[in-house]
Amino acid sequence: MTMTGQQSEARPADAGTAPLHVAIIMDGNGRWAKRRGLPRTFGHREGVKALKRTVEGAAAVGVGRLTVFGFSTENWRRPAAEVSELMGLLKAYVSSDLERLAKEGVRVTILGRREGLSPDVLEVIERAERRTAENTAFHLQVAFNYGGQADIVDAARKFAKAVEEGRAKASDLDEALFERSLSTADAPPPDLIVRTSGERRLSNFLLWEGAYAELVFQDVLWPDYGPEHLKAAIAEFATRERRYGGAMVDDVLAAG
Ligand code: FPP
């Protein structure tokens, strides 16, 4: 992997340039498998290969940080065998790729609730975070047992506890302070959120952080995804004018 090392912290990408932080809802594994008459779990396994290809190609297309949705707080409702497969795939992915990622300067962070995860899953998560904590060339964030609403509730609880214990006052709270309690606290927000498979929903992904993200929906099923699709999403992103609630640049110039 060729790292660009360009992702200085908390710097949002400008329109017309490659995004620094891309988040992906990797959707369509089940449909990919169904179309081939295979069990859904085969789709997830192919999904891991697509993830590896995409991580591998991301830096080359100007991405410094990638956040992927691996398992949502709602995914516990899936059949036990599928849940167990997804847990196993996270462990297998980390075990097989950790050393290589670590040597390539990739920092790996897992977002989401730790409660509910089994000790063996927790062990690989903690190992991956520890082993790569000092890396700065590229940041891979895997949202696992993650829900945007749950993350906001957890942050609100942390702040409420600080108030209860007399360490903070309700009037101290503003957006900047609140987001320091989210599980994404040490990362800038996503510039671009991609969802594959043609569905057009956020499905509880990065609800706070995605406030000003550009959204790109691609018809490809996740197991078929790769760097060329990421490149196409970035090309679409580059055509967008990001206004963060302000006026269009042309209108501002015309108004003198
Ligand atoms: C959505 O497809 C995908 C998921 C719920 C899981 C994403 C997981 C992977 C890509 C592989 C594992 C990766 C890690 C990091 C553990 P879906 O099953 O909802 O597909 P469908 O909408 O076609 O049924």
Side-chain angles (χ1 to χ4, degrees), residues 26-31 40 44 48 70 75 78 90 144 222:
M26 309 181 286
D27 196 13
N29 296 348
R31 276 163 283 169
R40 296 174 56 78
H44 295 315
V48 175
N75 286 154
R78 296 190 176 204
L90 178 74
F144 201 83
W222 177 252

Side-chain angles (χ1 to χ4, degrees), residues 216-239:
V216 169
F217 301 101
Q218 294 180 289
D219 282 336
V220 56
L221 299 175
W222 177 252
D224 292 326
Y225 206 82
E228 65 285 9
H229 299 98
L230 185 59
K231 200 171 169 185
I234 290 167
E236 167 66 29
F237 170 84
T239 67

Side-chain angles (χ1 to χ4, degrees), residues 31 53 59-60 65 82 91 101 108 110 116 142 164 166 172 174 176 195 202 230 232 236-238 240 245:
R31 276 163 283 169
R53 285 195 296 273
R65 184 183 309 266
E82 187 173 342
K91 284 193 289 177
L101 292 170
V108 180
I110 313 295
V142 181
E164 253 175 25
D172 294 339
D174 60 12
R195 183 172 188 146
L202 280 180
L230 185 59
E236 167 66 29
F237 170 84
R240 309 273 179 91

Side-chain angles (χ1 to χ4, degrees), residues 51-68:
L51 176 58
K52 290 183 183 187
R53 285 195 296 273
T54 306
V55 170
E56 193 62 28
V61 292
V63 175
R65 184 183 309 266
L66 195 63
T67 301
V68 294

Side-chain angles (χ1 to χ4, degrees), residues 19 30 39 44 48 52 58 70 83 93 107 134 140 163 175 181 187 212 224 232 241 250:
H44 295 315
V48 175
K52 290 183 183 187
V83 169
Y93 174 52
R107 180 173 172 207
E134 307 301 324
L140 173 64
V163 173
E175 289 88 334
S181 294
Y212 288 102
D224 292 326
E241 187 186 344
D250 286 352

Side-chain angles (χ1 to χ4, degrees), residues 164-213:
E164 253 175 25
E165 293 173 355
R167 290 181 285 115
K169 296 197 301 292
S171 57
D172 294 339
L173 191 60
D174 60 12
E175 289 88 334
L177 180 60
F178 187 76
E179 62 195 15
R180 292 209 325 244
S181 294
L182 294 168
S183 66
T184 50
D186 64 348
D191 301 295
L192 166 62
I193 298 180
V194 171
R195 183 172 188 146
T196 61
S197 92
E199 304 287 350
R200 291 165 181 247
R201 286 186 293 278
L202 280 180
S203 297
N204 206 7
F205 189 45
L206 300 177
L207 296 184
W208 176 286
E209 300 82 347
Y212 288 102

